[in-house]
mmCIF file of all heavy atoms in Angstrom:
data_model
loop_
_atom_site.group_PDB
_atom_site.id
_atom_site.type_symbol
_atom_site.label_atom_id
_atom_site.label_comp_id
_atom_site.label_asym_id
_atom_site.label_seq_id
_atom_site.Cartn_x
_atom_site.Cartn_y
_atom_site.Cartn_z
ATOM 1 N N GLY K 43 39.468 78.213 -106.773
ATOM 2 C CA GLY K 43 40.317 77.178 -106.103
ATOM 3 C C GLY K 43 40.492 77.556 -104.640
ATOM 4 O O GLY K 43 40.332 76.690 -103.749
ATOM 5 N N ALA K 44 40.803 78.829 -104.378
ATOM 6 C CA ALA K 44 41.034 79.232 -102.985
ATOM 7 C C ALA K 44 39.796 79.051 -102.122
ATOM 8 O O ALA K 44 39.824 78.485 -100.979
ATOM 9 C CB ALA K 44 41.477 80.664 -102.948
ATOM 10 N N LEU K 45 38.640 79.371 -102.649
ATOM 11 C CA LEU K 45 37.394 79.277 -101.863
ATOM 12 C C LEU K 45 36.965 77.811 -101.695
ATOM 13 O O LEU K 45 36.532 77.416 -100.616
ATOM 14 C CB LEU K 45 36.244 80.134 -102.525
ATOM 15 C CG LEU K 45 36.424 81.617 -102.443
ATOM 16 C CD1 LEU K 45 35.308 82.331 -103.205
ATOM 17 C CD2 LEU K 45 36.429 82.075 -100.951
ATOM 18 N N HIS K 46 37.055 77.030 -102.737
ATOM 19 C CA HIS K 46 36.665 75.636 -102.621
ATOM 20 C C HIS K 46 37.585 74.855 -101.692
ATOM 21 O O HIS K 46 37.147 74.056 -100.883
ATOM 22 C CB HIS K 46 36.606 74.943 -103.977
ATOM 23 C CG HIS K 46 35.360 75.182 -104.741
ATOM 24 N ND1 HIS K 46 34.230 74.387 -104.639
ATOM 25 C CD2 HIS K 46 34.928 76.206 -105.547
ATOM 26 C CE1 HIS K 46 33.234 74.849 -105.376
ATOM 27 N NE2 HIS K 46 33.682 75.984 -105.941
ATOM 28 N N ARG K 47 38.875 75.153 -101.723
ATOM 29 C CA ARG K 47 39.816 74.531 -100.820
ATOM 30 C C ARG K 47 39.474 74.876 -99.360
ATOM 31 O O ARG K 47 39.475 74.001 -98.452
ATOM 32 C CB ARG K 47 41.292 74.956 -101.131
ATOM 33 C CG ARG K 47 41.978 74.089 -102.141
ATOM 34 C CD ARG K 47 43.443 74.387 -102.143
ATOM 35 N NE ARG K 47 43.792 75.765 -102.424
ATOM 36 C CZ ARG K 47 43.857 76.293 -103.600
ATOM 37 N NH1 ARG K 47 43.578 75.615 -104.682
ATOM 38 N NH2 ARG K 47 44.168 77.617 -103.747
ATOM 39 N N ALA K 48 39.190 76.098 -99.132
ATOM 40 C CA ALA K 48 38.877 76.585 -97.771
ATOM 41 C C ALA K 48 37.511 76.129 -97.307
ATOM 42 O O ALA K 48 37.345 75.839 -96.056
ATOM 43 C CB ALA K 48 39.003 78.079 -97.678
ATOM 44 N N ALA K 49 36.587 76.018 -98.205
ATOM 45 C CA ALA K 49 35.229 75.640 -97.809
ATOM 46 C C ALA K 49 35.032 74.157 -97.590
ATOM 47 O O ALA K 49 34.172 73.727 -96.796
ATOM 48 C CB ALA K 49 34.226 76.112 -98.859
ATOM 49 N N GLY K 50 35.886 73.339 -98.359
ATOM 50 C CA GLY K 50 35.664 71.870 -98.323
ATOM 51 C C GLY K 50 34.732 71.418 -99.371
ATOM 52 O O GLY K 50 34.133 72.196 -100.071
ATOM 53 N N PRO K 51 34.668 70.076 -99.543
ATOM 54 C CA PRO K 51 33.914 69.495 -100.669
ATOM 55 C C PRO K 51 32.397 69.776 -100.659
ATOM 56 O O PRO K 51 31.747 69.678 -101.672
ATOM 57 C CB PRO K 51 34.158 68.008 -100.500
ATOM 58 C CG PRO K 51 34.650 67.789 -99.101
ATOM 59 C CD PRO K 51 35.349 69.055 -98.712
ATOM 60 N N GLU K 52 31.842 70.165 -99.480
ATOM 61 C CA GLU K 52 30.451 70.510 -99.463
ATOM 62 C C GLU K 52 30.100 71.662 -100.417
ATOM 63 O O GLU K 52 28.957 71.772 -100.850
ATOM 64 C CB GLU K 52 29.983 70.829 -98.047
ATOM 65 C CG GLU K 52 29.979 69.688 -97.100
ATOM 66 C CD GLU K 52 31.229 69.700 -96.236
ATOM 67 O OE1 GLU K 52 32.345 70.177 -96.691
ATOM 68 O OE2 GLU K 52 31.179 69.257 -95.072
ATOM 69 N N LEU K 53 31.039 72.539 -100.654
ATOM 70 C CA LEU K 53 30.719 73.669 -101.486
ATOM 71 C C LEU K 53 30.390 73.243 -102.933
ATOM 72 O O LEU K 53 29.406 73.720 -103.467
ATOM 73 C CB LEU K 53 31.894 74.733 -101.481
ATOM 74 C CG LEU K 53 31.612 76.058 -102.166
ATOM 75 C CD1 LEU K 53 30.483 76.785 -101.483
ATOM 76 C CD2 LEU K 53 32.822 76.951 -102.224
ATOM 77 N N ALA K 54 31.166 72.328 -103.484
ATOM 78 C CA ALA K 54 30.852 71.863 -104.803
ATOM 79 C C ALA K 54 29.596 71.054 -104.807
ATOM 80 O O ALA K 54 28.732 71.135 -105.755
ATOM 81 C CB ALA K 54 32.010 70.993 -105.365
ATOM 82 N N GLN K 55 29.354 70.231 -103.734
ATOM 83 C CA GLN K 55 28.092 69.522 -103.646
ATOM 84 C C GLN K 55 26.869 70.487 -103.597
ATOM 85 O O GLN K 55 25.857 70.211 -104.270
ATOM 86 C CB GLN K 55 28.048 68.679 -102.316
ATOM 87 C CG GLN K 55 28.840 67.390 -102.466
ATOM 88 C CD GLN K 55 29.146 66.778 -101.075
ATOM 89 O OE1 GLN K 55 28.371 67.035 -100.161
ATOM 90 N NE2 GLN K 55 30.188 65.994 -101.008
ATOM 91 N N ALA K 56 27.003 71.516 -102.895
ATOM 92 C CA ALA K 56 25.876 72.498 -102.795
ATOM 93 C C ALA K 56 25.650 73.168 -104.126
ATOM 94 O O ALA K 56 24.506 73.589 -104.429
ATOM 95 C CB ALA K 56 26.194 73.564 -101.701
ATOM 96 N N GLY K 57 26.701 73.328 -104.960
ATOM 97 C CA GLY K 57 26.563 73.991 -106.237
ATOM 98 C C GLY K 57 25.908 73.132 -107.281
ATOM 99 O O GLY K 57 25.276 73.632 -108.266
ATOM 100 N N ARG K 58 26.064 71.824 -107.116
ATOM 101 C CA ARG K 58 25.663 70.858 -108.219
ATOM 102 C C ARG K 58 24.187 71.112 -108.654
ATOM 103 O O ARG K 58 23.949 71.254 -109.856
ATOM 104 C CB ARG K 58 25.889 69.451 -107.751
ATOM 105 C CG ARG K 58 26.349 68.578 -108.876
ATOM 106 C CD ARG K 58 27.098 67.345 -108.365
ATOM 107 N NE ARG K 58 28.398 67.627 -107.886
ATOM 108 C CZ ARG K 58 29.022 66.989 -106.857
ATOM 109 N NH1 ARG K 58 28.396 66.095 -106.209
ATOM 110 N NH2 ARG K 58 30.302 67.339 -106.533
ATOM 111 N N PRO K 59 23.272 71.179 -107.768
ATOM 112 C CA PRO K 59 21.826 71.380 -108.209
ATOM 113 C C PRO K 59 21.598 72.751 -108.813
ATOM 114 O O PRO K 59 20.525 72.923 -109.480
ATOM 115 C CB PRO K 59 20.996 71.134 -106.943
ATOM 116 C CG PRO K 59 21.936 71.200 -105.822
ATOM 117 C CD PRO K 59 23.324 70.895 -106.307
ATOM 118 N N LEU K 60 22.446 73.684 -108.628
ATOM 119 C CA LEU K 60 22.256 75.072 -109.141
ATOM 120 C C LEU K 60 22.908 75.286 -110.517
ATOM 121 O O LEU K 60 22.655 76.230 -111.187
ATOM 122 C CB LEU K 60 22.810 76.077 -108.123
ATOM 123 C CG LEU K 60 22.337 75.983 -106.707
ATOM 124 C CD1 LEU K 60 23.045 76.929 -105.813
ATOM 125 C CD2 LEU K 60 20.812 76.302 -106.661
ATOM 126 N N ALA K 61 23.795 74.333 -110.887
ATOM 127 C CA ALA K 61 24.587 74.492 -112.081
ATOM 128 C C ALA K 61 23.873 73.845 -113.273
ATOM 129 O O ALA K 61 23.025 72.947 -113.084
ATOM 130 C CB ALA K 61 25.981 73.802 -111.919
ATOM 131 N N PRO K 62 24.203 74.266 -114.528
ATOM 132 C CA PRO K 62 25.153 75.306 -114.868
ATOM 133 C C PRO K 62 24.545 76.689 -114.723
ATOM 134 O O PRO K 62 23.340 76.855 -114.870
ATOM 135 C CB PRO K 62 25.499 74.978 -116.335
ATOM 136 C CG PRO K 62 24.246 74.375 -116.910
ATOM 137 C CD PRO K 62 23.649 73.614 -115.742
ATOM 138 N N ILE K 63 25.386 77.697 -114.442
ATOM 139 C CA ILE K 63 24.898 79.064 -114.462
ATOM 140 C C ILE K 63 25.491 79.744 -115.760
ATOM 141 O O ILE K 63 26.369 79.246 -116.402
ATOM 142 C CB ILE K 63 25.307 79.844 -113.210
ATOM 143 C CG1 ILE K 63 26.822 79.967 -113.005
ATOM 144 C CG2 ILE K 63 24.628 79.202 -111.987
ATOM 145 C CD1 ILE K 63 27.195 80.884 -111.905
#
Side-chain angles (χ1 to χ4, degrees):
L45 289 176
H46 278 269
R47 273 193 302 279
E52 291 98 330
L53 188 61
Q55 277 164 27
R58 218 158 283 146
L60 306 173
I63 62 170

